[in-house]
Amino acid sequence: MDFSFTETQGMLRDSLARYLRERYDFDSRQKMLAMPGGRDPAIWKAFAEELGILGAGFPEEHGGLGGGHVDHMVIMEELGRAIAIEPYLDTCIVGGGALLAAGGDHAATLIPGIIAGDVIIAFAWAEPKSRYNPARIETRATADGAGWTLSGHKSVVIAAPYATHVLVTARTGGASGERDGVSLFLVEAGTAGITRRDYPTVDGWMASELFFERANVGPHALLGAEGQAMGLVDELLDRATAATCAEAAGTMRRLHELTLDYAKQRQQFGQPISKFQVIQHRLVDMLMEAEQAVSMAYQATLRLDLRAAERARAVSQAKAKIAKGARFLGQSAIQIHGGIGITNELAAGHYFKRLTMLESRYGDQDHHLARLEAMMMAEAA
Amino acid sequence: MDLAFTPEERAFRDEVRAFIADNYPAELRGKQDEGEELGKEDMLSWHRILYRKGWVAPAWPTEYGGPGWSATQRYIFSEELARADTIPVLPFGINMVGPVIYTFGTPAQKERFLPRILSGDDWWCQGYSEPGAGSDLASLRTRAERVGDHYVVNGQKTWTTLAQHADWGFFLVRTDPAAKPQEGISFLLIDMTSPGVTVRPIITLGGEHEVNEVWLENVKVPVENRIFEENKGWTCAKFLLAHERTGIAGVARSKRGIERLKGIARAELDDTGQPLLANPFFRRKVAELECDLTALEFTELRTLAGEASGKGPGPESSLLKVKGTEIQQRITELVLEAVGQYGAPYFRAFPEGSNESPIGPAHAHRAAPTYFNMRKTSIYGGSNEIQRNIIAKMVLGL
Ligand SMILES: Cc1cc2nc3c(=O)[nH]c(=O)nc-3n(C[C@H](O)[C@H](O)[C@H](O)COP(=O)(O)OP(=O)(O)OC[C@H]3O[C@@H](n4cnc5c(N)ncnc54)[C@H](O)[C@@H]3O)c2cc1C
């Protein structure tokens, strides 16, 4: 057993952490949110050019650094500490993962673009009625000459307003809820027939509703076999969920630190509020949740390459645990801050908002517990 | 013991219900359910209607304009208001400074201020908290120095709710810096248009402008605007804190909140496509919440029965505050869970009056901001930690 990081991973963490400390402090982040488009595109470029981290998880033959899930985890934890609004998960982990799985020309042309910071991929898997079930989709793709025609509505697609490409799930057969008949497409954002409704999210990201109205795409847009994408979609969602766990762990650790600092400094009744035992215990409980979140992020990440059922169990355990812990930690942080915690002026409130959204991203606690229970039911039968 | 209301009480309930149905302004209906930010005139319109009926200040003695109701009638009245989802009458005038003035004020002060509180002509704000004095209110530092027939006030207040609309504020200020903390404080009424008063917005997590900083720089306040004796302001403050806590359980509003939650959970689908309310995980959480609310309701009714038989609101009100706020917060948690991914879009950033098609179902629009906003309830009005300290000390004698 070995929980240590490689030298490359250590350097990755250090250089990203330093960059985020210097360029992505709370005030800078606030300024980015206020920019036209709701972000600073120069940061993503710097991730590619100054830090060279966008290739961390890609094989060397594609120009990457040859890392894997653990490298992603390291990066996500640091992004979480800074509550960064950068589409690493969407582009490098999910988009990149789909391209590597598909291989061929797509991978050869687009992966270097990702690594260079020119290609940004958004993942459009959810729909208004899907809740957290990726098979409950109604978007359709019909064969059209050599290519495909897509029609449907994808909801809350993170990073879509500035993405160059969209990874879309659509039905080439079957009915909503069925696993058979789901296909995966990679389409260019500017394709005729795709309209966007862009908006900010409560935690500072940009997202879109995507409407496909008979959008025509070429034959190469289909990734993998027609109607058989659910296996890959599950895998991509499990990776995204594990990455979200790592991000949440970073956010939780940082929010715990911010709260501890505040409690030591805030004086009431002639003493720091950190002297009150009820506050001490709450800070201890928060620490325990943050540490368990880190443990669960490791656990899920290290099991991503197991068989589908074992992978799912590991990931859902992590997410269920972290969703609950994140809520407790976020609420406790606000409570300990008192009035100042509910203002937009302090970083703590923004960490709380982000954690609240991470709770349910790629499935909330109920979703993941239900997934675990379904496996138990299968064992009991 | 008997749970049923008497025939007279039932008749009273029907009268109140009919009055609300006939008089509640149509344009306000439902606004609250969607958590829309209300303007000054929104908030005042219902106040004025109740005022004209003589019902705006249920707890006030009849000589000052109260309706002379029993504790049970007041309870029925507040239940009916919540049931109909009316906009709450703002507490600062009616529930807070009004009772202080009729209890501690001079005849001239009563005559000057009480009628305008009732009518809604004056909007009041509460200037207690300071950056350095929150839970430990007695450590407040805003200074008032006596110069002839007025005080000169300097200092900073914060978290002052809706001060941006206020005509008047009631302030705790230090008049004797040498005395023990609680003993050198006075209770001053300050005209918010006085030179030297500056109100600055504080924006909260959901983007609302609900609270403010209030800066006081050499503000001249006539001595006649002091309530009660100099350096005895803490007596007024303590009296007022007891008033602030009654009704804080919010049972009727939470009942309404749970009904709304169930409506949302009937409309939302779970992962398998059935209504979320039929989902075993979700429906269990709602059932548990209803148990909590019933327990709170009957605890409040027992307190009320105690009050009706002559016991004043005691430290039990701290219990009502803690449990009441936990339930209010839990409702907003479950609403946010219920709306799933459509909790994420942030609507306040949309241009005013934009008529683009909405994103997601209407019931989802304010789910996240409301959840964020309701964290305040366990912080203000004496934080839930402070309430537990009170129970430990006053009830358990620890
Ligand atoms: C939305 C909102 C509206 C408000 N409106 C008004 C208003 O109109 N007028 C007004 O005057 N004030 C108002 N307040 C202020 C409110 O009364 C204070 O926020 C409250 O008293 C807590 O003070 P604080 O925020 O300074 O927190 P602190 O007192 O700094 O508390 C921080 C944390 O320490 C804990 N703590 C403090 N002392 C103890 C102790 N002895 N034992 C254990 N734990 C302790 C608290 O419970 C809290 O968790 C408002 C506040 C909010 C959030």
Side-chain angles (χ1 to χ4, degrees):
Chain A
M1 209 180 348
D2 181 9
F3 280 138
S4 61
F5 295 100
T6 64
E7 202 176 319
T8 321
Q9 288 159 352
M11 279 163 53
L12 200 59
R13 186 190 292 281
D14 291 347
S15 63
L16 179 57
R18 185 171 343 103
Y19 179 87
L20 293 172
R21 258 197 320 275
E22 287 165 7
R23 300 269 296 275
Y24 225 108
D25 58 284
F26 177 62
D27 289 339
S28 309
R29 181 180 183 274
Q30 290 293 86
K31 288 197 190 104
M32 295 174 203
L33 298 185
M35 286 179 175
R39 66 191 276 268
D40 180 0
I43 299 286
W44 190 251
K45 259 317 211 189
F47 278 10
E49 289 165 8
E50 276 180 53
L51 296 174
I53 59 167
L54 298 184
F58 291 105
E60 283 161 22
E61 76 239 36
H62 288 293
L65 300 176
H69 305 310
V70 174
D71 301 71
H72 289 316
M73 181 183 83
V74 165
I75 290 171
M76 290 306 296
E77 248 185 80
E78 291 306 322
L79 293 174
R81 277 189 74 84
I83 47 171
I85 49 170
E86 306 301 326
Y88 185 84
L89 184 157
D90 316 79
T91 301
C92 300
I93 300 178
V94 176
L99 287 171
L100 288 174
D105 280 356
H106 259 314
T109 51
L110 288 179
I111 289 174
I114 292 180
I115 295 172
D118 298 326
V119 171
I120 292 180
I121 302 176
F123 186 22
W125 62 281
E127 296 187 6
K129 289 187 197 150
S130 65
R131 202 166 185 82
Y132 304 116
N133 180 351
R136 282 185 48 78
I137 58 167
E138 291 165 8
T139 296
R140 291 237 155 232
T142 42
D144 174 14
W148 301 90
T149 302
L150 272 64
S151 292
H153 174 185
K154 293 288 176 179
S155 51
V156 198
V157 186
I158 300 293
Y162 51 87
T164 56
H165 295 73
V166 186
L167 191 62
V168 197
T169 52
R171 286 209 164 274
T172 44
S176 175
E178 289 174 12
R179 291 178 59 84
D180 269 353
V182 174
S183 300
L184 191 61
F185 295 89
L186 185 71
V187 305
E188 282 174 29
T191 305
I194 305 179
T195 48
R196 284 194 338 250
R197 175 88 190 278
D198 300 344
Y199 48 84
T201 63
V202 293
D203 52 347
W205 285 68
M206 291 300 297
S208 312
E209 297 300 287
L210 287 184
F211 301 96
F212 294 82
E213 287 151 49
R214 272 173 278 114
N216 285 305
V217 296
H220 58 281
L222 178 69
L223 299 189
E226 177 192 334
Q228 299 302 310
M230 270 313 293
L232 176 58
V233 169
D234 278 346
E235 184 169 3
L236 294 174
L237 283 172
D238 277 340
R239 289 189 198 172
T241 308
T244 300
C245 288
E247 180 181 0
T251 307
M252 288 167 77
R253 271 191 164 164
R254 182 68 190 134
L255 182 53
H256 180 258
E257 290 168 13
L258 289 170
T259 309
L260 178 63
D261 287 349
Y262 184 79
K264 286 199 248 179
Q265 161 230 315
R266 173 68 174 170
Q267 301 267 335
Q268 288 290 279
F269 302 99
Q271 55 191 317
I273 60 170
S274 60
K275 290 285 176 215
F276 299 122
Q277 201 165 45
V278 69
I279 301 281
Q280 290 177 352
H281 283 191
R282 183 90 85 124
L283 284 163
V284 170
D285 288 339
M286 289 167 72
L287 175 72
M288 295 199 281
E289 289 305 330
E291 286 309 307
Q292 291 179 91
V294 174
S295 308
M296 276 302 211
Y298 281 26
Q299 181 267 143
T301 303
L302 294 172
R303 288 174 164 161
L304 280 176
D305 287 331
L306 299 184
R307 286 188 308 114
E310 291 169 54
R311 181 192 72 217
R313 186 194 311 275
V315 167
S316 282
Q317 281 198 352
K319 188 68 198 321
K321 177 80 185 150
I322 289 176
K324 187 176 180 188
R327 182 182 297 180
F328 169 79
L329 190 143
Q331 293 182 348
S332 298
I334 301 305
Q335 185 66 21
I336 291 175
H337 276 84
I340 197 92
I342 64 135
T343 73
N344 259 345
E345 288 164 24
L346 228 66
H350 297 260
Y351 279 79
F352 165 62
K353 289 197 268 190
R354 179 66 182 149
L355 274 183
T356 303
M357 290 296 113
L358 290 177
E359 254 184 53
S360 58
R361 185 83 74 233
Y362 305 109
D364 60 9
Q365 191 196 13
D366 278 359
H367 168 83
H368 287 284
L369 287 178
R371 218 172 159 217
L372 293 165
E373 288 184 22
M375 289 184 224
M376 243 176 253
M377 298 285 281
E379 283 169 31
Chain B
M1 275 204 212
D2 186 359
L3 272 180
F5 288 129
T6 64
E8 296 76 38
E9 286 163 351
R10 280 203 301 277
F12 175 73
R13 185 194 59 201
D14 294 343
E15 185 194 351
V16 172
R17 197 172 286 184
F19 178 79
I20 297 171
D22 294 344
N23 292 281
Y24 194 67
E27 66 276 14
L28 289 183
R29 205 167 283 288
K31 262 198 181 181
Q32 251 201 299
D33 255 2
E34 298 314 325
E36 278 180 49
E37 210 165 7
L38 302 172
K40 181 172 183 173
E41 282 314 309
D42 284 335
M43 290 190 252
L44 277 175
S45 60
W46 180 229
H47 179 119
R48 294 207 176 98
I49 291 166
L50 287 173
Y51 164 66
R52 285 195 290 275
K53 178 74 176 169
W55 286 359
V56 78
W60 287 26
T62 42
E63 56 177 312
Y64 302 119
W69 289 339
S70 68
T72 310
Q73 282 178 305
R74 295 206 299 272
Y75 174 78
I76 291 171
F77 182 67
S78 72
E79 281 264 314
E80 290 303 316
L81 291 179
R83 206 178 144 268
D85 191 34
T86 62
I87 283 164
V89 169
L90 284 177
F92 305 105
I94 299 289
N95 293 345
M96 296 186 181
V97 74
V100 169
I101 293 174
Y102 66 63
T103 307
F104 299 97
T106 63
Q109 288 169 333
K110 293 179 194 176
E111 202 177 316
R112 177 170 174 205
F113 292 109
L114 295 180
R116 294 177 63 84
I117 292 174
L118 283 175
S119 66
D121 286 343
D122 288 336
W123 180 297
W124 284 82
C125 66
Q126 178 188 28
Y128 278 23
S129 306
E130 298 181 3
S135 299
D136 182 13
L137 185 58
S139 69
L140 63 91
R141 294 220 302 257
T142 293
R143 184 79 175 91
E145 278 170 287
R146 179 88 178 246
V147 182
D149 60 356
H150 59 262
Y151 292 100
V152 177
V153 183
N154 279 289
Q156 189 203 337
K157 296 291 176 179
T158 191
W159 313 125
T160 325
T161 299
L162 297 174
Q164 71 266 36
H165 301 317
D167 305 297
W168 283 85
F170 53 98
F171 287 80
L172 290 180
V173 297
R174 189 158 298 287
T175 34
D176 183 358
K180 282 201 206 140
Q182 281 88 340
E183 287 168 14
I185 291 171
S186 298
F187 193 102
L188 290 189
L189 310 183
I190 300 183
D191 181 342
M192 295 297 281
T193 62
S194 314
V197 177
T198 311
V199 177
R200 291 192 194 137
I202 302 176
I203 304 303
T204 47
L205 292 179
E208 308 88 355
H209 176 197
E210 183 178 306
V211 289
N212 301 275
E213 296 178 340
V214 176
W215 297 75
L216 303 152
E217 284 162 288
N218 293 320
V219 179
K220 279 175 76 170
V221 181
V223 169
E224 69 209 39
N225 289 2
R226 190 194 68 230
I227 301 290
F228 204 43
E229 294 163 42
E230 189 170 273
N231 299 329
K232 291 277 190 283
W234 195 249
T235 309
C236 305
K238 271 201 319 203
F239 164 86
L240 194 154
L241 282 176
H243 262 261
E244 197 179 343
R245 267 179 222 132
T246 50
I248 205 148
V251 169
R253 298 251 165 220
S254 288
K255 273 192 196 165
R256 165 98 193 159
I258 290 180
E259 284 316 308
R260 182 167 176 271
L261 165 66
K262 285 176 163 174
I264 293 170
R266 269 191 293 274
E268 291 284 343
L269 304 178
D270 76 358
D271 283 350
T272 67
Q274 68 179 336
L276 190 60
L277 197 59
N279 176 285
F281 309 98
F282 199 82
R283 70 187 186 218
R284 169 161 294 207
K285 288 189 273 198
V286 179
E288 198 175 354
L289 183 59
E290 288 191 309
C291 297
D292 288 342
L293 183 56
T294 303
L296 179 67
E297 180 181 15
F298 274 75
T299 308
E300 189 183 41
L301 287 172
R302 281 172 56 219
T303 313
L304 188 77
E307 261 180 71
S309 67
K311 283 194 277 173
E316 305 80 37
S317 60
S318 290
L319 186 159
L320 299 179
K321 199 263 172 177
V322 171
K323 289 294 147 192
T325 54
E326 285 174 359
I327 289 168
Q328 289 157 30
Q329 292 178 335
R330 180 70 176 151
I331 293 171
T332 66
E333 259 173 44
L334 292 185
V335 168
L336 183 58
E337 280 182 32
V339 303
Q341 55 177 339
Y342 278 120
Y346 179 52
F347 286 86
R348 196 172 295 275
F350 291 2
E352 192 75 36
S354 99
N355 54 6
E356 286 184 273
S357 60
I359 294 161
H363 61 232
H365 292 179
R366 297 278 302 151
T370 304
Y371 166 73
F372 299 147
N373 187 271
M374 287 304 277
R375 301 315 306 167
K376 71 187 175 187
T377 63
S378 51
I379 294 169
Y380 67 19
S383 75
N384 285 9
E385 286 78 14
I386 294 296
Q387 302 297 346
R388 286 186 168 88
N389 287 349
I390 292 172
I391 298 173
K393 197 166 159 188
M394 310 296 283
V395 181
L396 303 182
L398 299 174

